[in-house]
Amino acid sequence: MTIEWQYTSGEDFGLLSLAGYLGSEGAHRFSGAIGWVLARGTGPVVVDMTGLRGWSIEGQLAVTEAARRLMAHDRSLELAAIPADGSLVPDGDCPPIAVHCDLAAALAAHGASDLADDGRQDWRTSGWPT
């Protein structure tokens, strides 16, 4: 089982929404999504985990690696609604990762109530749930 993703790019931040299970297979797909995000957006990246059914240690490591990749490009990673079956425990050299209780809190932290603004661009995997 793997993940599906959708990325919405705005002026001040990007939103990467995940669905499925972030395990060893999903970790590779997540890494590819981060590459997509780096090529098409600017500012902080909020990863919405509302649609995740869970994540493994490999998935958590992929998240901390994504934080490092983004930091190398002067961007930060934030998480919204982490899975209840685990908590992110980054190692000592991981950049700080803000964790929001849900997507609404993450959007509020960026002064956005939703992502329906004109001018935003969306990309998604073909299996993204509609």
Side-chain angles (χ1 to χ4, degrees):
M1 184 183 331
T2 190
I3 61 164
E4 300 295 335
W5 59 265
Q6 173 179 305
Y7 178 62
T8 303
S9 175
E11 289 184 28
D12 300 326
F13 71 101
L15 175 66
L16 178 62
S17 300
L18 305 178
Y21 182 78
L22 185 54
S24 57
E25 289 178 34
H28 296 292
R29 194 164 200 178
F30 177 71
S31 179
I34 293 299
W36 191 272
V37 165
L38 282 168
R40 288 167 179 80
T42 60
V45 177
V46 174
V47 178
D48 175 20
M49 298 182 155
T50 304
L52 278 185
R53 291 187 294 272
W55 58 352
S56 68
I57 295 297
E58 293 87 357
Q60 291 184 27
L61 292 172
V63 169
T64 58
E65 180 58 29
R68 285 187 196 94
R69 285 177 68 191
L70 288 163
M71 184 59 74
H73 294 272
D74 296 320
R75 297 177 69 185
S76 63
L77 181 78
E78 301 178 21
L79 303 177
I82 64 171
D85 62 344
S87 61
L88 183 66
V89 182
D91 57 23
D93 68 339
C94 184
I97 300 173
V99 177
H100 304 279
C101 62
D102 57 23
L103 180 57
L107 293 176
H110 291 280
S113 58
D114 61 39
L115 293 176
D117 298 324
D118 292 336
R120 294 196 184 270
Q121 294 185 317
D122 292 314
W123 297 272
R124 64 185 56 114
T125 55
S126 60
W128 180 254
T130 55

